[in-house]
């Protein structure tokens, strides 16, 4: 019977191995996102010269670096870290970041599939409707999720939850969209 390779490793060695595996997951997720977005022929960004899209300019949403939805991605990263640290308090920072990047990548890929765009009820003929993210926006969304995750590591759960609820309410009022509104719209389309 042979011992597991990590059995003889020192805690420091195990930490480095966990970090190396996490970095590998982050690199693979990034490569997958690049490949899928290339296959979907998503643009790199907009030629508008702006980094932020305002709600009054819906054609730029998900095309610029940041938009109001960036706040939802930050909240998602923060909430995911709260959940994962509750379930797996032994995970180090790099492993948590790998979970956030892999989850964000999974969401970005699913969100940008034509079937998902139709599920959320966007009219393909409407030039102002959502037609998918630019590559720049998709990577910025993941960066926002990572920023939210890092914030959740230093903030209390109550602060994170209060900011999540506040963000949902603010975006629902500001842009008439958010997690709850999008879920309702998707359910209406599915039924």
């Amino acid at each position: 019977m042979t011992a597991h390779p990590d059995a003889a490793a020192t805690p420091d060695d195990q930490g480095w191995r966990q970090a190396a595996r996490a970095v590998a997951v982050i690199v693979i997720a990034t490569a997958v996102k690049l490949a899928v977005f290339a296959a979907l022929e998503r643009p790199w960004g907009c030629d508008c010269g702006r980094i932020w899209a305002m709600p009054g300019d819906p054609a730029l949403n998900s095309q610029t670096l940041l938009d109001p939805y960036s706040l939802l991605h930050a909240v998602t990263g923060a909430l995911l870290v709260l959940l994962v640290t509750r379930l797996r308090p032994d995970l180090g920072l790099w492993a948590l970041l790998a979970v956030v990047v892999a989850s964000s990548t999974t969401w970005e890929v699913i969100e940008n599939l034509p079937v998902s765009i139709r599920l959320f009820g966007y009219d393909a003929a409407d030039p102002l409707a959502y037609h998918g993210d630019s590559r720049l926006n998709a990577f910025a969304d993941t960066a926002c999720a990572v920023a939210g995750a890092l914030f959740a590591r230093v903030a209390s759960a109550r602060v994170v939850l209060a900011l999540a609820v506040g963000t949902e309410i603010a975006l629902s009022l500001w842009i008439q969209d958010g997690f709850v509104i999008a879920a309702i719209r998707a359910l209406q389309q599915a039924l």
Side-chain angles (χ1 to χ4, degrees), residues 29-118:
T30 302
V32 165
K33 188 186 297 187
L34 277 172
V36 169
F37 274 66
L40 292 171
E41 298 178 346
R42 295 291 187 245
W44 280 100
C46 73
D47 57 359
C48 61
R50 294 173 46 192
I51 62 168
W52 174 263
M54 291 302 289
D57 238 340
L60 295 180
N61 275 344
S62 300
Q63 301 305 305
T64 57
L65 180 69
L66 301 168
D67 57 34
Y69 296 95
S70 302
L71 298 171
L72 291 176
H73 290 279
V75 165
T76 301
L79 292 174
L80 186 58
V81 162
L82 284 184
L83 176 65
V84 171
T85 53
R86 179 159 299 251
L87 297 173
R88 291 285 312 272
D90 59 313
L91 290 183
L93 176 62
W94 280 103
L96 288 171
L97 294 179
V99 168
V100 170
V101 170
S103 297
S104 175
T105 295
T106 301
W107 169 253
E108 291 296 327
V109 167
I110 292 170
E111 174 191 29
N112 279 278
L113 295 174
V115 67
S116 298
I117 293 171
R118 285 191 303 275

Side-chain angles (χ1 to χ4, degrees), residues 157-178:
R158 286 183 184 187
V159 168
V160 171
L161 293 172
L163 282 173
V165 170
T167 300
E168 179 69 15
I169 292 168
L171 287 176
S172 295
L173 295 171
W174 183 31
I175 63 172
Q176 290 77 50
D177 206 357

